[in-house]
């Protein structure tokens, strides 16, 4: 069954380091949770949808404090959870496994309980394994940034039409989520950036670069837990699948004049003054009383590889690459496999001015690394990049030029030691395909006469 759940909250967008599924409540121990009980009080649209393939069956010690009577608030610290209550909350004990949405979500096992006063209790915690919460279940979470932005726009329009009493507050929450939803993430915007001397630019020459890169992300996260076998009821992770897809646009424009001779590799993010991780909204879903919180860290990447050689000349070249891509990893039956499905197109132009020996090549690669985390510790890094390249050159007698545009897409998957291994001890040891140029394609070719070359007009 597929249920679009109302569970979106105006959670503050952050630099997103984790993907969390928090499960459980004492009244739900060892029971099956169905998505038909989804909360109906949420005011904002859900950030996506949850496809529940198999209902969730929780462990005996699983608890979601915020769904229990008497709960007031939770404050998440390093290895500690402080619960505020009204005095009627059932007591906690070492061995309880807690999940909730405080901060960016948590999943932890209680180690020690310490009462602070009549209404506050401090719980010393340690990270819990997935199978300590859930013994059976299979679900798929889907987030499309463009679809979410459209849903927020429609929600805002309805709220204004109805003139609801708290419409202003809802509108401000929706606007904040829309801004952070990343319908089109600007990974890099570099305008008229002067290339450094390491690129061969001297006092007698100039070379500048304009680069833009945008990503419209779609995220899919799938988790399947079940018994190890018919005769062995101990739960294990059957599948963990993370796929980043969407559209990636990269545009680069190079302008050079005067005398420039050299080749270089440029970190475009450093040239732009540094670009931090980009925020996506924290995604909160409710499957009945079970919170599903997904967070993802998006880290831009951008480089340029240039080779320029011209004297008293001028060149201008532009290239664009648009990639529709799907990249990710799938853990199933104790084995990792890769998911790569790209398609691309390219366009561009080039023009050369004064006659002379000219060669120029500019390759700009830009994209992002998406770091998915389950419970803050388990998950891969998936990187996607598109590159756009343009080359132009002249040959004796230097009356015309030739240029071509090409591009491609590359992707990679990697595990961070101590992070992707996590409490379930999953590794990439069987993942062979971890760095791959997925697709190379040739774009348009161009040729023409050199501008400002009157001596060539006499050529037959």
């Amino acid at each position: 069954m597929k249920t679009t759940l109302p569970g979106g909250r105006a959670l503050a967008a952050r630099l997103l380091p984790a993907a969390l599924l928090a499960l459980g409540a004492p009244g739900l121990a060892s029971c099956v949770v169905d998505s038909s009980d989804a909360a109906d009080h949420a005011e904002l649209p859900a950030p996506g949808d949850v496809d529940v393939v198999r209902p969730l069956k929780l462990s005996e010690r699983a608890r979601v404090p915020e769904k229990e009577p008497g709960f007031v608030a939770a404050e998440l610290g390093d290895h500690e959870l402080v619960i505020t209550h009204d005095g009627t909350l059932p007591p906690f004990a070492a061995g309880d496994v807690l999940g909730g949405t405080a901060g960016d979500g948590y999943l932890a096992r209680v180690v020690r309980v310490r009462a602070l006063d009549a209404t506050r209790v401090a719980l010393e915690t340690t990270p819990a394994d997935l199978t300590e919460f859930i013994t059976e279940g299979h679900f798929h979470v889907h987030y499309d940034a463009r679809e979410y932005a459209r849903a927020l726009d429609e929600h805002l329009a309805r709220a204004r039409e109805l003139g609801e009493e708290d419409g202003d507050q809802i509108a401000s929450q929706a606007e904040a989520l829309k801004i952070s939803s990343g319908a089109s993430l600007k990974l890099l915007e570099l305008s008229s950036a002067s290339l450094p001397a390491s690129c061969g630019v001297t006092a007698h020459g100039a070379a500048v670069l304009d680069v833009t890169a945008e990503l419209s992300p779609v995220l899919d996260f799938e988790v399947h837990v079940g018994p190890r076998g018919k005769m062995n009821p101990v739960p294990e992770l059957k599948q963990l699948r993370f796929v980043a897809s969407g559209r990636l646009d990269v545009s680069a424009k190079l302008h050079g004049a005067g005398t420039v001779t050299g080749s270089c590799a440029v970190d475009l993010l450093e040239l732009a003054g540094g670009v931090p991780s980009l925020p996506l909204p924290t995604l909160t879903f409710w499957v009945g009383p079970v919170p599903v919180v997904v967070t993802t860290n998006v880290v831009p990447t951008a480089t340029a590889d240039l080779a320029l050689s011209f004297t008293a000349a001028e060149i201008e070249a532009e290239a664009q690459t648009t990639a529709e891509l799907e990249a990710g990893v799938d853990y199933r039956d104790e084995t990792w496999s890769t998911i790569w499905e790209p398609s691309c197109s390219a366009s561009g132009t080039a023009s050369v001015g004064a006659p002379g020996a000219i060669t120029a090549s500019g390759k700009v690669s830009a994209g992002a690394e998406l770091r998915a985390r389950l419970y803050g510790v388990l998950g891969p890094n998936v990187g996607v990049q598109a590159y756009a390249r343009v080359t132009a050159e002249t040959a004796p007698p230097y009356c015309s030029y030739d240029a071509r545009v090409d591009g491609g897409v590359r992707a990679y998957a990697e595990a961070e030691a101590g992070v992707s291994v996590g409490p379930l001890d999953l590794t990439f040891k069987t993942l062979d395909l971890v760095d791959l140029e997925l697709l190379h394609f040739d774009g348009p070719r161009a040729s023409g006469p050199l501008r400002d070359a009157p001596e060539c007009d006499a050529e037959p």
Side-chain angles (χ1 to χ4, degrees):
M1 61 182 170
K2 187 170 184 179
T3 308
T4 301
L5 300 173
R9 293 186 176 183
L11 299 175
R14 62 185 291 274
L15 304 183
L16 313 167
L20 177 92
L21 168 68
L23 305 171
L28 301 172
S30 299
C31 71
V32 172
V33 182
D34 189 88
S35 63
S36 61
D37 296 325
D40 57 6
H41 59 277
E43 295 170 320
L44 293 174
D49 54 49
V50 178
D51 182 7
V52 181
V53 181
R54 177 173 295 180
L56 307 181
K57 186 175 181 180
L58 307 179
S59 69
E60 294 180 355
R61 299 299 296 271
R63 296 182 62 173
V64 179
E66 64 198 80
K67 285 297 183 179
E68 299 180 14
F71 174 85
V72 175
E75 182 179 348
L76 188 61
D78 292 335
H79 307 293
E80 186 178 68
L81 183 64
V82 177
I83 302 289
T84 302
H85 57 91
D86 66 3
T88 64
L89 187 68
F92 296 97
D96 287 346
V97 184
L98 310 180
T101 63
D104 293 306
Y106 58 90
L107 176 63
R109 187 187 329 112
V110 176
V111 175
R112 190 166 67 94
V113 180
R114 179 168 50 95
L116 299 178
D117 53 43
T119 60
R120 290 191 308 148
V121 59
L123 307 174
E124 182 182 335
T125 62
T126 188
D129 289 359
L130 173 65
T131 51
E132 291 183 78
F133 260 110
I134 182 172
T135 59
E136 191 172 337
H138 188 179
F139 67 91
H140 168 217
V141 174
H142 175 79
Y143 170 73
D144 185 314
R146 290 181 183 272
E147 290 179 1
Y148 188 35
R150 282 194 294 268
L152 289 170
D153 279 337
E154 294 171 359
H155 183 84
L156 280 169
R158 286 194 300 270
R160 292 190 180 104
E161 288 177 4
L162 295 174
E164 296 175 354
E165 183 177 345
D166 54 352
D168 289 342
Q169 180 182 356
I170 296 173
S172 63
Q173 292 174 340
E175 282 290 357
L177 278 176
K178 185 183 175 212
I179 291 171
S180 68
S181 65
S184 183
L185 285 174
K186 186 75 72 173
L187 301 175
L188 178 66
E189 189 167 23
L190 193 63
S191 179
S192 300
S194 297
L195 297 179
S198 61
C199 294
V201 181
T202 68
H204 302 289
V208 297
L209 194 63
D210 298 325
V211 179
T212 61
E214 294 187 10
L215 174 67
S216 301
V218 177
L219 306 176
D220 289 273
F221 210 99
E222 187 170 1
V223 178
H224 179 197
V225 174
R228 293 183 181 179
K230 293 182 179 179
M231 304 299 293
N232 187 351
V234 176
E236 68 174 358
L237 183 67
K238 299 291 189 181
Q239 182 181 16
L240 174 65
R241 184 176 186 268
F242 172 65
V243 178
S245 57
R247 172 172 164 165
L248 177 59
D249 293 286
V250 176
S251 176
K253 185 175 182 180
L254 171 68
H255 178 82
T259 298
V260 177
T261 301
S263 60
C264 61
V266 181
D267 184 336
L268 297 178
L269 298 178
E270 183 177 331
L271 198 62
V275 178
S277 301
L278 299 173
L280 289 177
T282 301
L283 310 178
T284 303
F285 307 86
W286 287 90
V287 182
V290 179
V292 176
V293 183
V294 177
T295 56
T296 306
N297 194 20
V298 180
V299 182
T301 58
T303 58
D305 295 301
L306 305 170
L308 307 172
S309 178
F310 47 85
T311 302
E314 180 181 2
I315 181 171
E316 187 168 288
E318 185 172 2
Q320 300 89 28
T321 293
T322 295
E324 296 286 346
L325 50 89
E326 182 176 297
V329 291
D330 189 6
Y331 173 84
R332 191 183 314 214
D333 298 326
E334 301 183 354
T335 302
W336 287 102
S337 60
T338 51
I339 302 164
W340 310 125
E341 291 292 339
S343 63
C344 306
S345 62
S347 63
T349 60
S351 63
V352 178
I358 296 172
T359 61
S361 175
K363 175 184 176 182
V364 170
S365 302
E369 182 173 282
L370 292 94
R371 300 174 180 174
R373 295 292 180 262
L374 188 63
Y375 305 115
V377 290
L378 178 65
N381 297 343
V382 173
V384 291
Q385 284 187 337
Y387 70 82
R389 177 169 51 198
V390 63
T391 58
E393 60 184 357
T394 63
Y398 307 121
C399 293
S400 61
Y401 71 89
D402 291 292
R404 73 183 182 91
V405 173
D406 71 335
V409 181
R410 68 177 291 265
Y412 62 89
E414 64 181 15
E416 289 186 13
V419 175
S420 289
V421 174
L424 292 178
D425 194 26
L426 305 181
T427 71
F428 280 99
K429 63 183 179 182
T430 59
L431 182 61
D432 298 323
L433 191 60
V434 295
D435 197 336
L436 175 72
E437 181 170 305
L438 304 175
L439 185 65
H440 172 266
F441 55 92
D442 289 318
R445 294 176 177 266
S447 62
L450 292 173
R451 303 195 314 267
D452 307 321
E455 63 273 23
C456 293
D457 293 340
E459 290 286 326

